[in-house]
């Protein structure tokens, strides 16, 4: 009986955490205009919108350079540049491509190494809304001293508070929640960065994900 009670408590805590996580994800969008940072990083994903959003921020002088992390080795620079029409000159001068990362942990390591090599202390992080909590956790674990400002790309299917009613959205949110918990656990075990409220605005005013 005690064991069943214990299991029930764990399930309730897990469910409360899942819905709190989903509420946090929805709170990232619409993204508020970020303050200027040293640079901008975009984590590649299932669509080009993350890259587009990062380039738009670069055009607005929100950072000196952009790193696109987790680029597929088979993708050529010209193909990525074609995703951002009208920004050829800016893309050529101020965009770096990272080809090493194959997951979010790899993204974090690639971003940390790039920021360290460039001497950057603050970054605007561009990724999908559902991926943002895990991305921030991994980057902080890799480079605790960096000040991070999230700039999330909205996933329309997750914007509805009834995301749990559809199998596709419920699966995506649940899977990402589990990955986030694993990332948080690694950060705690390794003494990594905590969920500190630094320069980032946690609420609004693809290969690697």
């Amino acid at each position: 009986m005690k064991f069943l009670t214990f299991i029930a408590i764990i399930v309730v805590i897990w469910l409360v955490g899942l819905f709190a996580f989903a509420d946090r994800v929805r709170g990232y969008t619409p993204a508020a205009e970020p303050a200027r940072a040293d640079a901008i990083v975009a984590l590649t994903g299932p669509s080009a919108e993350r890259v587009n959003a990062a380039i738009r921020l670069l055009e607005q002088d929100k950072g000196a350079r952009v790193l696109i992390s987790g680029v597929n080795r088979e993708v050529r620079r010209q193909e990525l540049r074609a995703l951002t029409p009208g920004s050829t000159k800016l893309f050529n001068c101020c965009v770096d491509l990272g080809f090493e990362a194959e997951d979010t942990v790899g993204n974090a390591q690639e971003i940390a190494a790039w920021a360290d090599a460039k001497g950057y202390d603050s970054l605007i992080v561009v990724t999908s809304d559902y991926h943002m909590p895990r991305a921030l956790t991994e980057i902080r674990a890799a480079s605790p001293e960096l000040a991070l400002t999230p700039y999330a790309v909205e996933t329309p299917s997750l914007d509805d508070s009834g995301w749990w009613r559809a199998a596709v959205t419920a699966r995506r949110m649940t899977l990402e929640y589990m990955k986030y918990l694993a990332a948080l656990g690694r950060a705690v075990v390794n003494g990594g960065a905590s969920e500190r409220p630094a320069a980032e605005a946690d609420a609004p005013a693809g290969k690697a994900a």
Side-chain angles (χ1 to χ4, degrees):
M1 186 65 177
K2 289 183 179 180
F3 178 74
L4 292 178
T5 301
F6 174 76
I7 294 298
I9 291 172
I10 293 299
V11 170
V12 169
I13 292 172
W14 185 88
L15 284 173
V16 169
L18 173 60
F19 278 85
F21 175 80
D23 188 63
R24 180 181 177 187
V25 165
R26 294 198 308 275
Y28 278 121
T29 55
E33 181 176 349
R36 194 180 193 280
D38 290 337
I40 303 154
V41 295
L43 289 73
T44 55
S47 76
E49 185 52 35
R50 299 181 187 182
V51 175
N52 289 336
I55 298 300
R56 286 196 298 269
L57 291 173
L58 182 64
E59 290 175 331
Q60 296 165 16
D61 193 33
K62 294 298 183 178
R65 295 190 70 81
V66 166
L67 169 68
I68 303 174
S69 175
V71 178
N72 191 305
R73 291 180 181 275
E74 296 181 1
V75 174
R76 295 180 299 172
R77 186 178 184 88
Q78 295 91 324
E79 292 176 295
L80 277 177
R81 188 172 56 208
L83 298 176
T84 56
S87 303
T88 301
K89 184 176 180 181
L90 200 59
F91 198 99
N92 287 341
C93 81
C94 305
V95 176
D96 298 319
L97 305 183
F99 294 96
E100 298 301 320
E102 296 191 0
D103 55 22
T104 307
V105 174
N107 284 138
Q109 294 169 347
E110 190 167 63
I111 290 166
W114 180 77
D116 182 63
K118 297 290 186 183
Y120 296 147
D121 296 317
S122 60
L123 301 175
I124 297 173
V125 179
V126 181
T127 190
S128 297
D129 47 8
Y130 65 88
H131 186 231
M132 187 63 76
R134 181 159 58 102
L136 294 177
T137 298
E138 297 288 15
I139 297 170
R140 287 172 184 153
S143 189
E145 69 280 3
L146 282 173
L148 306 177
T149 299
Y151 190 85
V153 173
E154 184 176 1
T155 306
S157 61
L158 298 180
D159 191 45
D160 185 0
S161 59
W163 56 267
W164 46 271
R165 294 190 181 97
V168 173
T169 52
R171 181 181 181 279
R172 168 170 280 184
M173 193 73 80
T174 301
L175 182 60
E176 190 58 36
Y177 174 57
M178 296 302 292
K179 290 180 178 179
Y180 168 69
L181 290 180
L184 202 56
R186 285 194 302 272
V188 171
V189 169
N190 296 329
S194 63
E195 294 282 300
R196 71 185 189 283
E200 70 272 15
D202 258 5
K207 178 175 71 171

